[in-house]
């Protein structure tokens, strides 16, 4: 019988885990890092998924049984590759495979399938695969409409994905039209305020791309206030909003606010994830802000300061 209590991690020791979804794992450690095969079991104590590790890094996986335990295990593995190792392509491959398994186990008209498809939309967008992103998003909207109808938060949340996607495809006017449609549909509904914040943010990005900078700033400030109320100032969402706010103020010529916002965003990022070299995804975010700061000085003809900021980020 599998134990519910994890043993102390020791080199060469077999460790048993169990969680609320009745997944259990055997993990092999060597010199403090995962090495060998980690097997995920279901509640019948059947091996559903094997993941091979080398020096703490997952290098291969094999699906043995299509089961809820397999689905949960693959979802976690995709997140490891995406956020832990900044390997979005492998995360996409795993998530696509997992979506097929979810379809076989639950069918398409199930919340598990909808959630996994929504995650895959996010991955496609991060990869820059915008046409695949659009195709998956339109499918998601159709399924949500068939299950829930259109006068509800689930449909508006699904529709809101298109604001970002059409913006990325360069059809900013269509993105704006959909955002305004979503806002109109929200009237009279009790909804999660984070959804409204996301709609406003993506709307502001489309305004900015059309160089309607005053409208972009106005819309983003409304989103920024919601972000603070929802997530607080010690959150990744606040970091993202600060960084974008700096860019929008720069676009409208209020340059005295820009560097303070960029520097505050870096401070928040380091408080959340530690210094450079600790978290690969945070390092990418740090690089993006430093690039904005270098561009700020470059646009003002301060080439030495711009080069200094560039070198500080890329020539460590």
């Amino acid at each position: 019988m599998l134990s519910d209590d994890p043993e102390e991690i020791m080199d060469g020791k077999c460790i048993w885990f169990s969680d609320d979804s009745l997944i259990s794992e055997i993990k092999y450690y060597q010199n403090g890092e995962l090495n060998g095969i980690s097997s995920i079991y279901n509640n019948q104590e059947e091996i559903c998924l094997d993941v091979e590790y080398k020096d703490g890094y997952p290098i291969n996986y094999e699906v043995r049984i299509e089961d809820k335990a397999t689905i949960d295990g693959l979802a976690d593995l995709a997140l490891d590759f995406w956020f832990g190792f900044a390997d979005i392509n492998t995360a996409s491959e795993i998530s696509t495979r997992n979506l097929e398994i979810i379809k076989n186990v639950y069918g398409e008209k199930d919340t598990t399938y909808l959630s996994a498809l929504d995650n895959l939309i996010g991955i496609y967008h991060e990869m820059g695969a915008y046409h695949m992103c659009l195709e998956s998003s339109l499918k998601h909207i159709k399924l949500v409409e068939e299950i829930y109808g259109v006068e509800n938060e689930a449909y508006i949340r699904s529709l809101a994905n298109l604001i970002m996607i059409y913006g990325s495809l360069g059809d900013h006017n269509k993105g704006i039209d959909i955002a305004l449609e979503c806002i109109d549909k929200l009237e009279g509904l009790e909804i999660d305020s984070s959804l409204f914040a996301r709609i406003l943010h993506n709307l502001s990005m489309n305004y900015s791309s059309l160089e309607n900078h005053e409208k972009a700033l106005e819309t983003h400030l409304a989103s920024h206030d919601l972000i603070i109320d929802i997530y607080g100032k010690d959150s990744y969402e606040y970091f993202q909003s600060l960084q974008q706010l700096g860019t929008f103020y720069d676009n409208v010529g209020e340059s005295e606010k820009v560097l303070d916002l960029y520097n505050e965003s870096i401070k928040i990022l380091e408080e959340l994830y530690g210094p450079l070299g600790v978290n690969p995804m945070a390092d990418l975010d740090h690089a993006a802000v430093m690039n904005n700061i270098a561009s700020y000085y470059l646009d003002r003809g301060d080439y030495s300061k711009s080069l200094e900021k560039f070198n500080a980020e890329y020539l460590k």
Side-chain angles (χ1 to χ4, degrees):
M1 191 73 178
L2 300 183
S3 169
D4 287 341
D5 299 318
E7 300 176 25
E8 182 181 358
I9 294 175
M10 299 171 61
D11 283 355
K13 188 87 175 189
C14 186
I15 319 294
W16 299 94
F17 291 85
S18 180
D19 65 15
D20 291 340
S21 61
L22 300 175
I23 298 175
S24 299
E25 298 180 84
I26 311 173
K27 293 188 175 183
Y28 296 94
Y29 286 80
Q30 182 180 17
N31 298 324
E33 291 190 316
L34 274 170
N35 278 287
I37 303 295
S38 173
S39 299
I40 295 180
Y41 289 72
N42 61 17
N43 57 339
Q44 283 80 44
E45 299 187 17
E46 303 167 311
I47 295 177
C48 294
L49 177 67
D50 283 334
V51 183
E52 183 180 359
Y53 289 85
K54 183 176 181 181
D55 300 328
Y57 188 90
I59 59 172
N60 196 18
Y61 70 94
E62 178 185 358
V63 173
R64 294 210 190 178
I65 300 173
E66 294 188 350
D67 187 277
K68 182 184 187 302
T70 317
I71 292 166
D72 291 345
L74 285 175
D76 288 343
L77 187 61
L79 288 176
D80 283 345
F81 274 104
W82 188 358
F83 294 106
F85 306 109
D87 185 347
I88 191 71
N89 291 315
T90 302
S92 171
E93 174 202 320
I94 294 170
S95 297
T96 301
R97 177 75 176 95
N98 205 23
L99 195 66
E100 294 172 358
I101 295 172
I102 293 169
K103 180 179 178 180
N104 294 337
V105 174
Y106 295 109
E108 291 186 342
K109 293 185 179 181
D110 183 271
T111 55
T112 305
Y113 185 87
L114 288 175
S115 178
L117 182 57
D118 193 50
N119 289 336
L120 188 58
I121 290 167
I123 289 174
Y124 283 151
H125 192 271
E126 188 74 14
M127 292 172 64
Y130 301 133
H131 289 285
M132 294 173 68
C133 189
L134 177 60
E135 180 182 346
S136 297
S137 186
L138 292 173
K139 179 177 181 178
H140 191 278
I141 292 168
K142 181 181 178 182
L143 288 171
V144 169
E145 182 177 354
E146 290 174 357
I147 298 169
Y148 301 109
V150 298
E151 300 298 330
N152 55 77
E153 181 179 336
Y155 180 79
I156 298 169
R157 187 176 295 277
S158 184
L159 186 64
N161 282 330
L162 292 179
I163 307 168
M164 172 183 65
I165 296 168
Y166 278 117
S168 298
L169 287 168
D171 195 343
H172 304 294
N173 286 311
K174 192 171 184 67
I176 290 170
D177 288 344
I178 292 171
L180 296 176
E181 178 187 351
C182 287
I183 292 171
D184 184 61
K185 286 180 176 294
L186 289 175
E187 290 189 17
L189 293 178
E190 293 186 7
I191 59 106
D192 180 356
S193 54
S194 65
L195 171 59
F196 189 36
R198 180 162 69 95
I199 291 170
L200 288 174
H201 167 72
N202 290 330
L203 176 58
S204 70
M205 297 298 288
N206 279 288
Y207 279 135
S208 180
S209 295
L210 291 175
E211 298 187 358
N212 190 343
H213 298 309
E214 294 288 349
K215 196 70 175 177
L217 177 60
E218 174 191 339
T219 308
H220 186 76
L221 282 170
S223 171
H224 187 68
D225 289 342
L226 283 172
I227 292 294
I228 295 173
D229 290 342
I230 298 164
Y231 302 105
K233 293 185 176 182
D234 56 348
S235 64
Y236 181 74
E237 289 79 8
Y238 181 66
F239 154 76
Q240 289 180 306
S241 188
L242 276 177
Q243 179 190 7
Q244 195 59 59
L245 192 57
T247 300
F248 286 158
Y249 271 121
D250 199 11
N251 289 342
V252 299
E254 296 189 37
S255 57
E256 69 279 1
K257 298 179 180 180
V258 176
L259 290 180
D260 286 343
L261 289 166
Y262 285 154
N263 288 326
E264 185 182 353
S265 72
I266 290 176
K267 181 182 176 183
I268 295 296
L269 192 67
E270 291 177 348
E271 288 174 355
L272 289 171
Y273 300 107
L276 284 171
V278 174
N279 183 294
M281 293 299 291
D283 289 351
L284 292 175
D285 286 325
H286 189 280
V289 180
M290 292 299 291
N291 184 65
N292 287 345
I293 294 174
S295 296
Y296 172 89
Y297 285 115
L298 184 63
D299 291 342
R300 285 153 181 82
D302 192 341
Y303 303 116
S304 60
K305 196 71 174 177
S306 177
L307 185 61
E308 174 190 328
K309 295 297 181 181
F310 180 87
N311 289 343
E313 184 62 29
Y314 298 105
L315 299 181
K316 292 182 176 66

